[in-house]
Each structure stands twice: as structure tokens, then as C-alpha cells.
Amino acid sequence: MPELPEIETVKRALSPIVDQSITAALRSNLDLRWNLTPADLLSLQQDRIIRLDRRGRHLLIILQSGRSLLCHLGMSGWIRHEAISGSTPLKHDHFTLQLTDGTQLVLNDTRRFGGVMLSERADAKDLPIIANLGLEPFDPQLNPQKLKTLYNGSHRPIKELLMDNALITGIGNIYASEILFQAHIHPDRPGSKINLKQAQTLFSLIQKILSDAIASGGSTLRDFKHTNGESGKAQNLHLVYAKEDSPCSVCSSLIQKSIHGGRSTFFCKKCQKK
DNA sequence: CCCGCAGCCTGCGGGC
DNA sequence: TGCCCGCAGGCTGCGG
């Protein structure tokens, strides 16, 4: 999935679990990338959910004990929220939180690249994966000059830098292609050559494309779903992602596909100059 | 330090 | 029909 708009969609949909207490925390017998120990699972019982947060692609469930439960959806994860009574387990259900109101959260992840971690802090900053994250795209400290400085520090292609969570967190493979297309910037352009005008364009498009995607409930391409099982609609906004050999919506030349850091990139070689 | 790549998993679609 | 291959939204750990 799961890039920032999809996790934000999940976080917003889960607001009804705030103030519920946990009656049971359960896991399947298959490992996710990160797993809770039996003692962790037991310690969650009786704890109460007081707030939900998001850092990059990580959902944080903040607990009354001062701890937080971090959920990552990997490539193929989604979380459903349902009544326990009458519910049917699905293939690839791997983690479940049962709540006092008779509902449960279930993390379903086919490829098991996702995972769950328990932090001793509400902000989860004791976990390296959180401590090492860069700025949120909507952080008030972020501005075009700051973005330029971040990207100018490397000669790597801008496509890879956009996806680097240590710089700006939450932009993944889909939205990186979409942002560069609308910014008219070629994915191969070295970060060191991003000028202030391009940084200004990237700054506004990062925020616009991510917020439009959040407003559409995130992108459902294969596995990601809303907490009620419905699909997102942001995939209808995509102009280049997975559109190889289709005509560019601006100039009609055919969309190209290339590889950056082992991931597919889609772009228009006429509209996007190096 | 930086970079590139294999590996973690399952499922799906295409070619034969 | 079935098999084999490549590929998929993320991230880590290894090697050079």
C-alpha cells in the first residue's frame, strides 16, 4: 500500500476505537516482518486506546500506559474493523486486537512484509524506524528552500530521493511518479541539480497530490482496502503510474517505464526534462 | 560514507 | 489444463 494517503485514510476511519480498551491481542502462527512477543501480547490486555497518530507510513495506536503500538502495512497489508460477533477469519489475517465494544481490528497481509511493534513511548521515538524518519510532507518546518537543501545533498536520481523516508517520509513508488510527472521533472534528474523553482514546484505538488489522494480515500491497486473492506478512489487520479504505452494526458506521446532502485518508474519523456 | 542489489513472501497474469 | 517466469504499493542487510 500503502503510502502516506492510505495510512492516513486508515487512521481517520479508525477514530471509533479511541477510548476503547483492549480485551485481547492475538497473532497468527506465521511471522510478519516484526512481531510482538507473547509477553507483549499479554501486556496489551486491559490497556486503553487514547489516541491515533501517523508517522510516515506507520500507524501509531497510543495507549493509556504511555506506550504505542506501531502497525506497518508493508506492500500488501490492510486493516479491517468489524464486529467480533458473526465475523469470519480471512486467509492472511495475522494480528488482531479485540476491544471492549465488541469490535476487532484485524491486520491482513498476504505477503507479510508488514509488521507490528510495541514502543515504550507515545511518540515511538525509541524505535529506530521512527527516530530515523525525515520530515512529514505537511510539517510546518518544511518549505521549498529546505526541500532544495535536502535534495541538493545527493547526486542520486530525484525519483529515489522522493522515496527516501530519511528525507521526507511517506512518499512511495506510486506518488513519486505522479509528483514528478506533474512537476515536469525527469525522474533521472540528480538531486544536486534541483533548483529553487523546481523545489517550489515539488513542495506544492507533494502536498497537493498527497492531500487529493487522502480526500479520495487512498489508492486501491490490488490489496489495500478501507477498514470496511471498500476500495479507495485515488487510483482514478493517477496520470502515469502503471500506464506504460498509454498516451500522455498532456502531449499524447507514450508513457515510458524505467527502473530506479529496483522499482518501476512511469514518466513522459517529452513533458519531463532532465 | 555511498550505492546497488538480493531477499523477505504470496498471488496473479502472460507465454508456451 | 498446467507450468514457469516476471512482476507487484516497502524496507533491510549485505557486499563492494
Side-chain angles (χ1 to χ4, degrees):
Chain A
M1 125 166 177
E3 303 182 33
L4 185 151
E6 289 73 34
I7 305 302
E8 184 64 26
T9 297
V10 170
K11 189 197 107 177
R12 294 182 184 187
L14 288 182
S15 59
I17 73 172
V18 170
D19 289 336
Q20 296 301 313
S21 293
I22 297 166
T23 54
L26 312 162
R27 56 158 288 177
S28 75
N29 56 4
L30 290 176
D31 282 341
L32 296 169
R33 172 179 284 276
W34 314 301
N35 301 279
L36 299 192
T37 64
D40 287 339
L41 292 169
L42 205 57
S43 79
L44 287 170
Q45 278 186 31
Q46 315 297 333
D47 213 334
R48 192 169 66 94
I49 297 166
I50 60 167
R51 195 169 78 248
L52 297 171
D53 211 342
R54 179 191 57 71
R55 275 291 280 133
R57 263 172 274 234
H58 309 269
L59 176 71
L60 294 178
I61 299 174
I62 321 292
L63 302 169
Q64 191 166 40
S65 59
R67 303 177 298 171
S68 58
L69 185 62
L70 174 154
C71 300
H72 194 286
L73 301 189
M75 290 271 231
S76 54
W78 64 290
I79 290 174
R80 67 178 193 276
H81 184 212
E82 64 188 5
I84 298 171
S85 160
S87 68
T88 319
L90 299 180
K91 194 174 182 185
H92 308 303
D93 283 350
H94 294 300
F95 180 74
T96 302
L97 278 187
Q98 298 188 329
L99 307 174
T100 36
D101 66 356
T103 65
Q104 60 184 359
L105 290 194
V106 185
L107 171 56
N108 182 284
D109 185 355
T110 306
R111 292 170 72 185
R112 288 188 277 131
F113 286 7
V116 185
M117 277 190 243
L118 191 57
S119 160
E120 292 304 316
R121 296 168 53 116
D123 62 12
K125 282 187 180 166
D126 55 331
L127 303 177
I129 57 159
I130 296 297
N132 295 335
L133 290 178
L135 287 175
E136 285 289 324
F138 298 102
D139 189 320
Q141 287 180 41
L142 187 61
N143 57 53
Q145 182 58 53
K146 173 85 181 162
L147 202 58
K148 178 177 187 295
T149 306
L150 285 176
Y151 291 153
N152 282 171
S154 169
H155 298 294
R156 291 162 63 207
I158 185 62
K159 163 74 174 355
E160 292 181 29
L161 297 179
L162 271 175
M163 293 176 64
D164 188 340
N165 282 295
L167 302 175
I168 306 293
T169 184
I171 303 172
N173 204 36
I174 299 177
Y175 297 110
S177 280
E178 297 298 325
I179 289 163
L180 289 172
F181 172 71
Q182 293 198 39
H184 307 296
I185 298 172
H186 195 287
D188 285 337
R189 187 172 182 87
S192 51
K193 290 196 175 171
I194 295 296
N195 60 36
L196 186 57
K197 186 161 182 292
Q198 291 173 320
Q200 284 165 343
T201 307
L202 285 173
F203 174 75
S204 22
L205 281 172
I206 287 170
Q207 295 196 341
K208 178 176 192 308
I209 289 176
L210 294 181
S211 35
D212 286 353
I214 293 167
S216 294
S219 300
T220 297
L221 294 190
R222 34 183 77 80
D223 304 299
F224 173 71
K225 295 184 191 75
H226 289 184
T227 56
N228 61 6
E230 290 178 6
S231 292
K233 294 185 168 62
Q235 64 278 10
N236 301 327
L237 305 175
H238 299 172
L239 299 178
V240 287
Y241 184 79
K243 297 191 189 296
E244 186 185 11
D245 294 333
S246 297
C248 166
S249 54
V250 174
C251 75
S252 297
S253 57
L254 298 185
I255 299 298
Q256 315 278 302
K257 178 178 172 177
S258 62
I259 304 291
H260 291 92
R263 317 294 300 282
S264 303
T265 304
F266 299 88
F267 66 103
C268 172
K269 68 177 180 204
K270 193 171 165 196
C271 293
Q272 295 171 259
K273 300 296 184 196
K274 280 191 194 178

